[in-house]
């Protein structure tokens, strides 16, 4: 089954006549015999639109009940059953009433298209999802109903329904859009002339981009390579030299002469990564072209002229702006240059402008210098010394010491120095060595001697062969050396990129560690990651490593832009262009690391907020029940005692007073735990570490439990522990009370202690129901009560407070299974001789 075709009437603003245009098309199609049905059209009380509905078949709407009201929506099932050739569906961005077949009307339309039904629909530019923020900044109104841009872009036809702001406001004033009581408010708010003009521009630009897409698709499908001059597109060819700014400004002036002109600046980089372009100058030119409303593009290509023409034809450009070559006149021997080549090969469809500038014919740095610079100054010096001084010394040796060695052997010895010069200094020292060696061979060793002439033709052949072999060997050696250098560099780059990729996948490396690795990799003095909120805001330092990092990209020796609002600035030396690929990978990873670091911080804050919300919720539950229960008992007992209607016996009075006392004790314990938890959360617990006997603290902590509910086994021979006595007493009390609460009747809790190296263990053993392994850590969280603990037995803070206090005094509190059933709490404390407790002791002045 074929998919239906979608036609969209796109309005620049409400009231421009989208629905009227859609209904007019429906009448035209019906006159041509097309089966056309109205799926859903809303005329909003506009008489002219309502008249256009006459004579059109309308599908009954579906009624839906929602929030004590009845609403109508398009009946998709009825349309699918009717299967018209064309369905009219108004307001594509509409949100359906809950309970409908789909959440959005564009999803209803998608079903109709899948069923082979053509659809004609309407939508306003402000309802496109990507423009929501822009429309809100213009009108001050956030559009709640939106449609994805891709839905509109996939339409087979898009027709813009437009109207000038003045005409639309007149239409509204005449009552053709809104009721008369709403006209004044609409004209003074949403429908102000500035708002309507901005919305109109948005619609025109969006449709123009869509027209460009259609045009590119058509040209691609029909393999059209010539330029169609629909509008002026001016491509500026940049070399990274100082003339680039002049070219960009000239192109901008050309674009202003034609309506809708567009400037595209393009820099062609060599495929091998070698370039004499200044990264800082390219960054400045990128900023300039973007400030003038153009776009900057970076293209890789070995043949600069061919790549530039391919780019220009690919974007359907009409003009190319190039600067007059910076070559010196003698350099044209090596070729016509990029400008001349582009002018010759551009053809009749592309105009080429050659712009003069101050740097014309002043020369440019050549690649051999860049290649030589990679060998380093010491190697170049040794290469030239070997190539020139070596043959001179060899000549002296052969002439004075072994004069009868023979011409063939002499040539081989001279060839050795030529090869050595190539290995050390590259091609040019080797060529100089070959030329100098051939002169020495001719003058000193080839008859007639001491003259630059050769009498024997065989010697001429020998000298020629020597020069040819020397040049060939030097070229091969130089090429092999450069290939070795490139291979080593590629291996190093691959290792660095592999490291970066691995760190991304593993989520390793903090931002500071990454910047430090970057500083070490390129031997820089300082590295700074800079960011700003927008293009005009000042730069701020997100992270920095090294001495005296810069605060602006302009002050750096090397800067690598990362998007519009971030830049990596390096200080120390200027890097060659071939290093920018790895530098770009570091920059991208730095941006990812910064985002990851901020996301981690935000996640931590979110967890803290969530924990705070959970604690507040639990606290409210505790206040609403656990605190009110003892209060209710106290209130009832006091009211009974004060009642004049009842004569209470001494036993009854004592019982009521006992209930008041128990309720007060429970309240005191609950409030004490709440206060302790608050102290732990705010970090205000400051332990006073002292040497303490465990057998003195534990018995005092059992005052809140019945005497026969606990069995003690605390040897007097235990070493003293370094703890805060008050906090330890609270820990033991909470742990023992919790164990007694869950221990069955007749099975007392067993409390024992033992020493192990530099630690003392206190074990609280009960025979209760126990706790499963997955819940052993959860029982130490605030407001957690495990199992079927009765309400009113506490708010679930006892063990949380106990663990918090234990950690404050340098101990640990864990839960283990009791052999035979039950739970064992293990409290581990440092002995007084443990040197790790020294750091936790307060100074004497804090204890007085």
């Amino acid at each position: 089954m074929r998919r239906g075709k979608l036609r969209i009437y796109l309005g620049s603003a409400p009231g421009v006549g989208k629905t009227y245009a859609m209904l007019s098309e429906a009448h035209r199609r019906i006159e041509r015999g097309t089966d056309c049905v109205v799926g859903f059209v809303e005329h909003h009380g506009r008489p002219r639109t309502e008249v256009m509905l006459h004579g059109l078949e309308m599908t009954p709407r579906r009624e839906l009940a929602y929030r004590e009201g009845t609403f109508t929506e398009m009946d998709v099932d009825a349309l699918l059953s009717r299967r018209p050739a064309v369905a009219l569906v108004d307001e594509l961005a509409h949100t359906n009433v809950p309970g409908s077949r789909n959440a959005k009307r564009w999803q209803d339309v998608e079903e109709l298209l899948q069923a082979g039904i053509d659809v004609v629909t309407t939508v306003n530019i402000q309802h496109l999802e990507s423009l929501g923020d822009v429309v809100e900044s213009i009108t001050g109104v956030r559009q709640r109903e939106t449609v994805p841009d891709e839905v509109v872009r996939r339409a087979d036809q898009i027709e813009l329904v437009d109207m000038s702001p003045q005409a639309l406001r007149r239409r509204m004033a005449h009552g053709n859009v809104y009721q008369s009581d709403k006209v004044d408010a609409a004209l003074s708010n949403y429908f102000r002339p500035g708002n309507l003009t901005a919305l109109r521009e948005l619609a025109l630009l969006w449709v123009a981009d869509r027209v460009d897409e259609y045009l590119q698709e058509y040209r691609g499908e029909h393999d059209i390579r010539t330029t169609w001059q629909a509008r002026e597109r001016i491509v500026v060819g940049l070399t990274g030299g100082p003339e680039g700014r002049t070219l960009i400004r000239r192109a901008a002036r050309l674009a202003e002469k034609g309506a809708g002109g567009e400037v595209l600046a393009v820099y062609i980089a060599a495929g091998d990564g070698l370039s004499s372009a200044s990264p800082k100058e390219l960054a400045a030119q990128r900023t300039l072209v973007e400030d003038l409303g153009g776009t900057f593009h970076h293209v890789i290509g070995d043949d600069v002229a061919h790549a530039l023409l391919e780019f220009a034809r690919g974007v359907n450009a009409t003009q190319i702006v190039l600067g007059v070559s910076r070559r010196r006149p003698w350099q044209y021997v090596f070729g016509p240059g990029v400008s001349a080549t582009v002018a010759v090969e551009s053809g009749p469809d592309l105009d080429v402008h050659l712009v003069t500038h101050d740097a014309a014919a002043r020369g440019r740095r050549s690649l051999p210098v860049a290649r030589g610079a990679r060998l380093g100054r010491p190697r170049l010096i040794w290469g030239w010394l070997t190539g020139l001084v070596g043959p001179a010394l060899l000549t002296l040796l052969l002439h004075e010491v072994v004069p009868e060695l023979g011409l063939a052997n002499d040539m081989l010895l001279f060839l050795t120095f030529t090869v050595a010069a190539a290995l050390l200094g590259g091609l040019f020292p080797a060529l100089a060595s070959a030329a100098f060696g051939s002169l020495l061979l001719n003058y000193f060793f080839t008859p007639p001697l001491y003259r630059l002439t050769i009498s024997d033709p065989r010697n001429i052949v020998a000298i020629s062969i020597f020069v040819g072999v020397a040049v060939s060997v030097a070229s091969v050696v130089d090429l092999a050396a450069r290939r070795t250098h490139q291979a080593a560099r590629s291996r190093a780059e691959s290792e660095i990129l592999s490291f970066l990729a691995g760190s991304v996948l593993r989520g390793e490396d903090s931002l500071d560690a990454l910047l430090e690795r970057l500083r070490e990799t390129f031997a820089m003095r300082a590295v700074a990651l800079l960011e700003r909120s927008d293009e005009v805001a000042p730069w701020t330092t997100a992270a920095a490593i090294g001495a005296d990092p810069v605060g602006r990209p302009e002050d750096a020796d090397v800067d690598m832009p990362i998007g519009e609002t971030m830049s990596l600035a390096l200080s120390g030396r200027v890097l060659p262009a071939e290093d920018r690929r790895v530098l770009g990978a570091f920059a991208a990873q730095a941006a990812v690391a910064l985002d990851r670091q901020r996301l981690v911080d935000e996640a931590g804050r979110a967890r803290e907020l969530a924990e705070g919300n959970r604690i507040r919720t639990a606290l409210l539950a505790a206040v609403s029940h656990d605190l009110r229960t003892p209060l209710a008992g106290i209130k009832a007992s006091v009211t009974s005692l004060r009642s004049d209607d009842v004569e209470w016996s001494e036993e009854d009075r004592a019982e009521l007073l006992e209930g008041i006392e128990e309720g007060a004790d429970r309240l005191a314990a609950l409030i004490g735990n709440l206060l302790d938890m608050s102290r732990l959360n705010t970090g205000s617990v400051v332990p006073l570490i002292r040497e303490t006997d465990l057998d003195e603290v534990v018995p005092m902590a059992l005052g809140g439990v019945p005497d026969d509910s606990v069995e003690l086994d605390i040897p007097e021979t235990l070493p003293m522990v370094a703890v805060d006595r008050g906090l330890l007493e609270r820990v033991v009390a909470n742990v023992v009370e919790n164990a007694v609460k869950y221990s069955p009747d007749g099975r007392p809790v067993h409390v024992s202690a033992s020493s192990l190296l530099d630690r003392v263990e206190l074990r609280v053993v009960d025979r209760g129901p126990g706790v499963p392994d997955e819940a052993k850590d959860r029982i130490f969280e605030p407001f957690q009560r495990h199992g079927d603990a009765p309400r009113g037995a506490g708010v679930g803070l006892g063990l949380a407070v106990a663990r918090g206090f234990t950690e404050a005094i340098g101990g640990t509190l864990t839960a283990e299974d009791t052999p035979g059933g039950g739970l064992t709490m293990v409290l581990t404390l440092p002995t007084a001789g443990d040197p790790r407790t020294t750091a936790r002791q307060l100074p004497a002045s804090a204890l007085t």
Side-chain angles (χ1 to χ4, degrees), residues 292-312:
L292 294 175
T295 57
F296 185 92
H297 305 268
H298 194 119
V299 177
I300 304 296
D302 293 326
D303 188 335
V304 176
H306 178 74
L308 182 60
L309 287 171
E310 284 295 314
F311 176 83

PDB file of all heavy atoms in Angstrom, residues 292-312:
ATOM      1  N   LEU A 292      29.918  38.871  10.781  1.00  0.00           N
ATOM      2  CA  LEU A 292      29.306  39.476   9.592  1.00  0.00           C
ATOM      3  C   LEU A 292      28.139  38.660   9.052  1.00  0.00           C
ATOM      4  O   LEU A 292      27.620  38.956   7.974  1.00  0.00           O
ATOM      5  CB  LEU A 292      30.372  39.643   8.506  1.00  0.00           C
ATOM      6  CG  LEU A 292      31.500  40.644   8.834  1.00  0.00           C
ATOM      7  CD1 LEU A 292      32.556  40.632   7.747  1.00  0.00           C
ATOM      8  CD2 LEU A 292      30.920  42.047   9.008  1.00  0.00           C
ATOM      9  N   GLY A 293      27.731  37.625   9.795  1.00  0.00           N
ATOM     10  CA  GLY A 293      26.560  36.847   9.391  1.00  0.00           C
ATOM     11  C   GLY A 293      26.849  35.676   8.483  1.00  0.00           C
ATOM     12  O   GLY A 293      25.915  35.049   7.971  1.00  0.00           O
ATOM     13  N   GLY A 294      28.128  35.355   8.252  1.00  0.00           N
ATOM     14  CA  GLY A 294      28.461  34.227   7.397  1.00  0.00           C
ATOM     15  C   GLY A 294      28.765  32.975   8.189  1.00  0.00           C
ATOM     16  O   GLY A 294      28.578  32.919   9.404  1.00  0.00           O
ATOM     17  N   THR A 295      29.257  31.956   7.499  1.00  0.00           N
ATOM     18  CA  THR A 295      29.605  30.685   8.135  1.00  0.00           C
ATOM     19  C   THR A 295      31.026  30.301   7.754  1.00  0.00           C
ATOM     20  O   THR A 295      31.515  30.655   6.678  1.00  0.00           O
ATOM     21  CB  THR A 295      28.639  29.566   7.708  1.00  0.00           C
ATOM     22  OG1 THR A 295      28.642  29.448   6.272  1.00  0.00           O
ATOM     23  CG2 THR A 295      27.229  29.854   8.187  1.00  0.00           C
ATOM     24  N   PHE A 296      31.684  29.569   8.662  1.00  0.00           N
ATOM     25  CA  PHE A 296      33.069  29.139   8.450  1.00  0.00           C
ATOM     26  C   PHE A 296      33.086  27.630   8.247  1.00  0.00           C
ATOM     27  O   PHE A 296      32.412  26.898   8.979  1.00  0.00           O
ATOM     28  CB  PHE A 296      33.924  29.531   9.665  1.00  0.00           C
ATOM     29  CG  PHE A 296      35.387  29.243   9.488  1.00  0.00           C
ATOM     30  CD1 PHE A 296      36.241  30.208   8.972  1.00  0.00           C
ATOM     31  CD2 PHE A 296      35.922  28.003   9.822  1.00  0.00           C
ATOM     32  CE1 PHE A 296      37.594  29.954   8.806  1.00  0.00           C
ATOM     33  CE2 PHE A 296      37.266  27.730   9.661  1.00  0.00           C
ATOM     34  CZ  PHE A 296      38.103  28.712   9.142  1.00  0.00           C
ATOM     35  N   HIS A 297      33.878  27.174   7.279  1.00  0.00           N
ATOM     36  CA  HIS A 297      33.946  25.748   6.960  1.00  0.00           C
ATOM     37  C   HIS A 297      35.407  25.328   6.852  1.00  0.00           C
ATOM     38  O   HIS A 297      36.249  26.086   6.355  1.00  0.00           O
ATOM     39  CB  HIS A 297      33.218  25.437   5.650  1.00  0.00           C
ATOM     40  CG  HIS A 297      31.795  25.894   5.637  1.00  0.00           C
ATOM     41  ND1 HIS A 297      30.743  25.086   6.011  1.00  0.00           N
ATOM     42  CD2 HIS A 297      31.249  27.096   5.309  1.00  0.00           C
ATOM     43  CE1 HIS A 297      29.619  25.751   5.915  1.00  0.00           C
ATOM     44  NE2 HIS A 297      29.893  26.980   5.496  1.00  0.00           N
ATOM     45  N   HIS A 298      35.690  24.115   7.321  1.00  0.00           N
ATOM     46  CA  HIS A 298      37.047  23.544   7.288  1.00  0.00           C
ATOM     47  C   HIS A 298      36.981  22.290   6.423  1.00  0.00           C
ATOM     48  O   HIS A 298      36.263  21.351   6.740  1.00  0.00           O
ATOM     49  CB  HIS A 298      37.492  23.203   8.712  1.00  0.00           C
ATOM     50  CG  HIS A 298      38.958  22.945   8.824  1.00  0.00           C
ATOM     51  ND1 HIS A 298      39.789  23.698   9.620  1.00  0.00           N
ATOM     52  CD2 HIS A 298      39.754  22.035   8.232  1.00  0.00           C
ATOM     53  CE1 HIS A 298      41.021  23.237   9.521  1.00  0.00           C
ATOM     54  NE2 HIS A 298      41.022  22.229   8.687  1.00  0.00           N
ATOM     55  N   VAL A 299      37.743  22.281   5.333  1.00  0.00           N
ATOM     56  CA  VAL A 299      37.690  21.186   4.362  1.00  0.00           C
ATOM     57  C   VAL A 299      39.092  20.605   4.204  1.00  0.00           C
ATOM     58  O   VAL A 299      40.086  21.339   4.200  1.00  0.00           O
ATOM     59  CB  VAL A 299      37.156  21.689   2.997  1.00  0.00           C
ATOM     60  CG1 VAL A 299      37.175  20.569   1.967  1.00  0.00           C
ATOM     61  CG2 VAL A 299      35.746  22.238   3.158  1.00  0.00           C
ATOM     62  N   ILE A 300      39.171  19.273   4.087  1.00  0.00           N
ATOM     63  CA  ILE A 300      40.440  18.574   3.863  1.00  0.00           C
ATOM     64  C   ILE A 300      40.579  18.249   2.382  1.00  0.00           C
ATOM     65  O   ILE A 300      39.648  17.726   1.765  1.00  0.00           O
ATOM     66  CB  ILE A 300      40.514  17.281   4.694  1.00  0.00           C
ATOM     67  CG1 ILE A 300      40.291  17.585   6.179  1.00  0.00           C
ATOM     68  CG2 ILE A 300      41.834  16.585   4.488  1.00  0.00           C
ATOM     69  CD1 ILE A 300      41.349  18.464   6.780  1.00  0.00           C
ATOM     70  N   GLY A 301      41.729  18.566   1.823  1.00  0.00           N
ATOM     71  CA  GLY A 301      41.956  18.244   0.418  1.00  0.00           C
ATOM     72  C   GLY A 301      43.400  18.487   0.024  1.00  0.00           C
ATOM     73  O   GLY A 301      43.992  19.515   0.380  1.00  0.00           O
ATOM     74  N   ASP A 302      43.998  17.544  -0.722  1.00  0.00           N
ATOM     75  CA  ASP A 302      45.382  17.698  -1.153  1.00  0.00           C
ATOM     76  C   ASP A 302      45.505  18.707  -2.296  1.00  0.00           C
ATOM     77  O   ASP A 302      46.463  19.467  -2.364  1.00  0.00           O
ATOM     78  CB  ASP A 302      45.953  16.340  -1.582  1.00  0.00           C
ATOM     79  CG  ASP A 302      46.090  15.393  -0.390  1.00  0.00           C
ATOM     80  OD1 ASP A 302      46.374  15.880   0.716  1.00  0.00           O
ATOM     81  OD2 ASP A 302      45.891  14.182  -0.580  1.00  0.00           O
ATOM     82  N   ASP A 303      44.524  18.712  -3.191  1.00  0.00           N
ATOM     83  CA  ASP A 303      44.507  19.682  -4.294  1.00  0.00           C
ATOM     84  C   ASP A 303      43.600  20.839  -3.881  1.00  0.00           C
ATOM     85  O   ASP A 303      42.370  20.728  -3.895  1.00  0.00           O
ATOM     86  CB  ASP A 303      43.987  19.012  -5.568  1.00  0.00           C
ATOM     87  CG  ASP A 303      44.136  19.902  -6.799  1.00  0.00           C
ATOM     88  OD1 ASP A 303      44.188  21.136  -6.636  1.00  0.00           O
ATOM     89  OD2 ASP A 303      44.208  19.361  -7.912  1.00  0.00           O
ATOM     90  N   VAL A 304      44.228  21.944  -3.490  1.00  0.00           N
ATOM     91  CA  VAL A 304      43.459  23.049  -2.920  1.00  0.00           C
ATOM     92  C   VAL A 304      42.472  23.616  -3.933  1.00  0.00           C
ATOM     93  O   VAL A 304      41.298  23.862  -3.613  1.00  0.00           O
ATOM     94  CB  VAL A 304      44.419  24.153  -2.405  1.00  0.00           C
ATOM     95  CG1 VAL A 304      43.632  25.352  -1.895  1.00  0.00           C
ATOM     96  CG2 VAL A 304      45.306  23.593  -1.310  1.00  0.00           C
ATOM     97  N   ALA A 305      42.907  23.846  -5.151  1.00  0.00           N
ATOM     98  CA  ALA A 305      42.026  24.431  -6.169  1.00  0.00           C
ATOM     99  C   ALA A 305      40.831  23.525  -6.446  1.00  0.00           C
ATOM    100  O   ALA A 305      39.675  23.982  -6.508  1.00  0.00           O
ATOM    101  CB  ALA A 305      42.817  24.696  -7.442  1.00  0.00           C
ATOM    102  N   HIS A 306      41.094  22.237  -6.622  1.00  0.00           N
ATOM    103  CA  HIS A 306      40.010  21.293  -6.907  1.00  0.00           C
ATOM    104  C   HIS A 306      39.035  21.209  -5.736  1.00  0.00           C
ATOM    105  O   HIS A 306      37.817  21.205  -5.923  1.00  0.00           O
ATOM    106  CB  HIS A 306      40.597  19.916  -7.216  1.00  0.00           C
ATOM    107  CG  HIS A 306      39.565  18.862  -7.473  1.00  0.00           C
ATOM    108  ND1 HIS A 306      38.828  18.799  -8.639  1.00  0.00           N
ATOM    109  CD2 HIS A 306      39.126  17.828  -6.695  1.00  0.00           C
ATOM    110  CE1 HIS A 306      38.002  17.786  -8.585  1.00  0.00           C
ATOM    111  NE2 HIS A 306      38.147  17.178  -7.419  1.00  0.00           N
ATOM    112  N   ALA A 307      39.574  21.148  -4.492  1.00  0.00           N
ATOM    113  CA  ALA A 307      38.697  21.072  -3.315  1.00  0.00           C
ATOM    114  C   ALA A 307      37.851  22.327  -3.178  1.00  0.00           C
ATOM    115  O   ALA A 307      36.674  22.259  -2.801  1.00  0.00           O
ATOM    116  CB  ALA A 307      39.544  20.850  -2.063  1.00  0.00           C
ATOM    117  N   LEU A 308      38.426  23.479  -3.469  1.00  0.00           N
ATOM    118  CA  LEU A 308      37.669  24.733  -3.366  1.00  0.00           C
ATOM    119  C   LEU A 308      36.532  24.777  -4.377  1.00  0.00           C
ATOM    120  O   LEU A 308      35.402  25.167  -4.054  1.00  0.00           O
ATOM    121  CB  LEU A 308      38.620  25.916  -3.568  1.00  0.00           C
ATOM    122  CG  LEU A 308      38.003  27.316  -3.456  1.00  0.00           C
ATOM    123  CD1 LEU A 308      37.404  27.535  -2.080  1.00  0.00           C
ATOM    124  CD2 LEU A 308      39.047  28.382  -3.761  1.00  0.00           C
ATOM    125  N   LEU A 309      36.809  24.353  -5.607  1.00  0.00           N
ATOM    126  CA  LEU A 309      35.750  24.341  -6.628  1.00  0.00           C
ATOM    127  C   LEU A 309      34.669  23.321  -6.287  1.00  0.00           C
ATOM    128  O   LEU A 309      33.470  23.579  -6.492  1.00  0.00           O
ATOM    129  CB  LEU A 309      36.366  24.035  -7.995  1.00  0.00           C
ATOM    130  CG  LEU A 309      37.191  25.174  -8.614  1.00  0.00           C
ATOM    131  CD1 LEU A 309      37.929  24.676  -9.844  1.00  0.00           C
ATOM    132  CD2 LEU A 309      36.297  26.352  -8.973  1.00  0.00           C
ATOM    133  N   GLU A 310      35.053  22.154  -5.775  1.00  0.00           N
ATOM    134  CA  GLU A 310      34.067  21.161  -5.384  1.00  0.00           C
ATOM    135  C   GLU A 310      33.159  21.690  -4.272  1.00  0.00           C
ATOM    136  O   GLU A 310      31.955  21.490  -4.289  1.00  0.00           O
ATOM    137  CB  GLU A 310      34.767  19.882  -4.921  1.00  0.00           C
ATOM    138  CG  GLU A 310      35.321  19.036  -6.043  1.00  0.00           C
ATOM    139  CD  GLU A 310      34.217  18.483  -6.939  1.00  0.00           C
ATOM    140  OE1 GLU A 310      33.214  17.972  -6.400  1.00  0.00           O
ATOM    141  OE2 GLU A 310      34.342  18.588  -8.163  1.00  0.00           O
ATOM    142  N   PHE A 311      33.761  22.363  -3.309  1.00  0.00           N
ATOM    143  CA  PHE A 311      32.957  22.936  -2.226  1.00  0.00           C
ATOM    144  C   PHE A 311      32.003  23.993  -2.764  1.00  0.00           C
ATOM    145  O   PHE A 311      30.816  24.016  -2.406  1.00  0.00           O
ATOM    146  CB  PHE A 311      33.876  23.553  -1.168  1.00  0.00           C
ATOM    147  CG  PHE A 311      33.146  24.251  -0.066  1.00  0.00           C
ATOM    148  CD1 PHE A 311      32.626  23.540   1.016  1.00  0.00           C
ATOM    149  CD2 PHE A 311      32.946  25.618  -0.110  1.00  0.00           C
ATOM    150  CE1 PHE A 311      31.928  24.185   2.024  1.00  0.00           C
ATOM    151  CE2 PHE A 311      32.253  26.280   0.892  1.00  0.00           C
ATOM    152  CZ  PHE A 311      31.746  25.553   1.963  1.00  0.00           C
ATOM    153  N   ALA A 312      32.495  24.871  -3.632  1.00  0.00           N
ATOM    154  CA  ALA A 312      31.658  25.946  -4.164  1.00  0.00           C
ATOM    155  C   ALA A 312      30.482  25.385  -4.955  1.00  0.00           C
ATOM    156  O   ALA A 312      29.345  25.855  -4.818  1.00  0.00           O
ATOM    157  CB  ALA A 312      32.499  26.876  -5.034  1.00  0.00           C
TER     158      ALA A 312
END
